[in-house]
């Protein structure tokens, strides 16, 4: 019987270990399946303001002052502070407008911003450097496998969204839509 007791103790010990792992969420094959993300109702119509809050890593769309939806974003690889020059990895701050749309971008869709503006060019000229440009709100690189948002700041100064989010933004933001980028 001694061998049988050891075997039962081993089984009880293994059952307790598995229960602990399940409780801690380490064993994904046991327990209830994860809750799928809630289906969101697609936005229709046009928005009149896109607000980017860099520190919060979020982009919010508004119509007539009403917040419609918020999306997570990634920014330039060195996001703190205003863009000063080409190559600094910063996302510019201030008020801009969408001035172009590109469905053939290297990234999944892109909405161009009217950066640099006159004051950006003047500041850069006074400092003897290039202000940079080609700042976009866009999706993931076309070579990226899947539809996930990259989880770190990685752009050269653009604002990146998940592909599904840029697809929705593409439908509701037109040329001339105001974009405010805050620190």
């Amino acid at each position: 019987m001694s061998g049988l007791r050891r075997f039962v103790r081993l089984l009880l010990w293994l059952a307790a270990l598995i229960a602990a792992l399940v409780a801690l969420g380490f064993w994904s094959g046991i327990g209830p399946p994860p809750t799928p993300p809630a289906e969101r109702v697609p936005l229709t119509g046009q928005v009149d303001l896109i607000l980017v809050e860099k520190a919060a890593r979020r982009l919010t769309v508004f119509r007539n002052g009403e917040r419609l939806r918020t999306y997570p974003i990634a920014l330039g690889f060195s996001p703190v502070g205003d863009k000063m020059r080409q190559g600094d990895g910063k996302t510019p701050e201030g008020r801009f407008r969408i001035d172009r749309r590109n469905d053939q971008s290297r990234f999944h869709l892109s909405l161009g911003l009217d950066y640099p503006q006159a004051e950006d060019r003047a500041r850069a000229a006074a400092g003897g450097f290039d202000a940079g440009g080609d700042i976009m709100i866009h999706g993931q690189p076309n070579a990226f496998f899947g539809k996930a948002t990259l989880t770190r700041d990685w752009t050269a100064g653009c604002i990146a969204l998940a592909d599904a989010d840029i697809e929705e933004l593409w439908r509701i933001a037109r040329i001339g839509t105001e974009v405010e980028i805050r620190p």
Side-chain angles (χ1 to χ4, degrees), residues 46-52 59-62 71 94-103 109-115 117 134-138 159 161 165-166 168-181:
Q46 292 184 18
V47 295
D48 50 35
L49 174 64
I50 297 170
L51 173 63
V52 175
L59 180 152
T60 306
V61 294
F62 294 84
Y71 308 97
R95 290 190 171 274
F96 308 95
R97 295 217 176 257
I98 293 175
D99 66 353
R100 60 203 181 278
R101 297 164 56 89
N102 184 356
D103 61 356
L109 303 173
S110 64
L111 300 167
L113 303 184
D114 62 350
Y115 174 89
Q117 295 178 343
D134 221 16
I135 299 297
M136 307 279 185
I137 301 172
H138 59 67
I159 300 153
L161 292 94
D165 295 343
I166 190 64
E168 182 167 70
L169 189 58
W170 179 268
R171 288 192 306 271
I172 61 176
R174 301 289 176 244
I175 290 179
T177 302
E178 184 178 353
V179 178
E180 181 180 349
I181 305 175

Side-chain angles (χ1 to χ4, degrees), residues 2-18:
S2 177
L4 182 58
R5 283 186 191 185
R6 278 193 201 148
F7 181 71
V8 169
R9 281 186 183 163
L10 178 62
L11 285 179
L12 289 174
W13 185 84
L14 285 173
L17 178 63
I18 290 171

Side-chain angles (χ1 to χ4, degrees), residues 18-45:
I18 290 171
L21 290 173
V22 168
L24 293 172
F26 291 136
W27 194 303
S28 62
I30 297 178
T35 306
E39 289 292 320
R40 63 182 184 197
V41 177
L43 294 177
T44 59

